[in-house]
Amino acid sequence: MPEPLKRSLLTTAAFLLDMDGTVYLDGRLIDGVDSFIRFLEDRHITYLFLTNNSSRSAVDYATRLRSLGIPASTENILTSGDATAAYLQQLMPGARLYVVGTPSLRDVFRTHGFSLIYSRPDAVVLGFDTGLTYAKLRRLCDFVRQGLPFYATHPDINCPTLTGYMPDTGAMIAFVKASTGREPDLIIGKPNRYMVESAAAVLNIPMNSLAVVGDRLYTDIAMGKAANIPSVLVLSGETKLEDLALTPYEPDFVVKDLGKLSDYLQEVYEAAETP
């Protein structure tokens, strides 16, 4: 392991952990995750689970993680919906929003003090909406065409499922662009650095003390590069070792899974503590 990386891992105060493909896959916990979490807790290192999926709430994800044996609470979860609501709360507190999203996503914006309306909004937000209708898209396009501020929770085109893929927010963004000629003014979720900024604010930890761990080069690792923080690629999900030769997003470190990462971290810490 290169010395600069060793030093960066030793000074990491919190790990930002992707979930699907990093912590679990097809509804099952990936080998070594429990040992990695134990290592962090033994060392009093903070961790935050990140997801671009804005269709579910932090409560939903915490419940899912606990069902897999991971001691998670809502304070350990940050969704792109949470990050988007927090960003807009700073930009336009109490604004009237037209939000295209699931009931869970709409509740997130309500808890941040926004009024959710269907006419004359101050801005519009597009999230992952598994109950999407033509009427919702038409209304959204009308508002976008009028020039209202337009935000999206994340850019993922497809969401993986047990039987394949389902269209995600990125596909909905493409629909709106085809109709209106406009893309969102800002997309908050991975790979954009706003997700890391939101995590740093939630944790009250400087960005330069964070590190990101994930299985996707173009979201997790790209986000690390955008935020200029260390990035660790795990090969337990989407990315294969041969994919590294073709990507512009080179991770700082590559491991098989979180279990191997905990082994490496243990070695780094023990070496640093040895006189």
Side-chain angles (χ1 to χ4, degrees), residues 74-109:
T74 55
E75 288 75 21
N76 299 118
I77 313 292
L78 179 67
T79 73
S80 64
D82 296 323
T84 303
Y87 177 85
L88 293 181
Q89 188 178 41
Q90 296 294 319
L91 185 67
M92 48 178 69
R96 303 178 344 142
L97 302 179
Y98 177 63
V99 177
V100 176
T102 60
S104 290
L105 179 62
R106 290 169 60 82
D107 284 343
V108 167
F109 282 91

Side-chain angles (χ1 to χ4, degrees), residues 37-270:
I37 297 299
R38 281 198 304 272
F39 171 84
L40 296 183
E41 292 183 339
D42 289 345
R43 290 282 179 173
H44 304 290
I45 301 171
T46 302
Y47 55 94
L48 188 68
F49 296 104
L50 301 189
T51 179
N52 262 2
N53 191 332
S54 59
S55 68
R56 297 179 180 178
S57 69
V59 173
D60 298 328
Y61 280 107
T63 300
R64 182 175 189 180
L65 288 168
R66 286 197 299 269
S67 73
L68 295 172
I70 299 298
S73 67
T74 55
E75 288 75 21
N76 299 118
I77 313 292
L78 179 67
T79 73
S80 64
D82 296 323
T84 303
Y87 177 85
L88 293 181
Q89 188 178 41
Q90 296 294 319
L91 185 67
M92 48 178 69
R96 303 178 344 142
L97 302 179
Y98 177 63
V99 177
V100 176
T102 60
S104 290
L105 179 62
R106 290 169 60 82
D107 284 343
V108 167
F109 282 91
R110 288 191 184 96
T111 60
H112 280 77
F114 294 103
S115 298
L116 304 192
I117 61 174
Y118 293 91
S119 63
R120 299 182 180 179
D122 300 312
V124 296
V125 178
L126 175 59
F128 188 14
D129 189 358
T130 52
L132 189 66
T133 65
Y134 183 81
K136 289 182 181 180
L137 279 173
R138 180 177 176 180
R139 187 182 296 270
L140 175 63
C141 288
D142 286 343
F143 291 142
V144 171
R145 204 174 283 111
Q146 291 170 20
L148 290 178
F150 174 29
Y151 302 94
T153 57
H154 63 286
D156 295 17
I157 295 174
N158 289 307
C159 178
T161 72
L162 292 176
T163 57
Y165 294 92
M166 60 189 295
D168 205 331
T169 303
M172 301 171 197
I173 291 171
F175 181 104
V176 175
K177 182 181 178 182
S179 176
T180 68
R182 279 186 66 191
E183 293 184 343
D185 300 314
L186 187 64
I187 302 174
I188 300 296
K190 298 183 288 185
N192 297 308
R193 65 178 284 124
Y194 298 103
M195 197 72 165
V196 179
E197 291 178 358
S198 185
V202 166
L203 297 171
N204 195 27
I205 292 174
M207 280 180 58
N208 60 10
S209 295
L210 305 177
V212 60
V213 184
D215 72 305
R216 291 186 179 186
L217 292 164
Y218 54 91
T219 55
D220 304 309
I221 305 307
M223 182 182 70
K225 297 302 179 185
N228 196 30
I229 62 174
S231 59
V232 181
L233 175 72
V234 290
L235 300 175
S236 52
E238 178 179 301
T239 302
K240 308 304 179 189
L241 196 59
E242 54 267 27
D243 296 332
L244 292 172
L246 305 174
T247 182
Y249 309 114
E250 185 176 349
D252 295 303
F253 192 46
V254 182
V255 293
K256 177 185 176 183
D257 51 34
L258 286 180
K260 288 297 182 183
L261 179 57
S262 66
D263 292 341
Y264 282 121
L265 287 173
Q266 186 68 42
E267 292 176 7
V268 169
Y269 271 83
E270 289 178 354

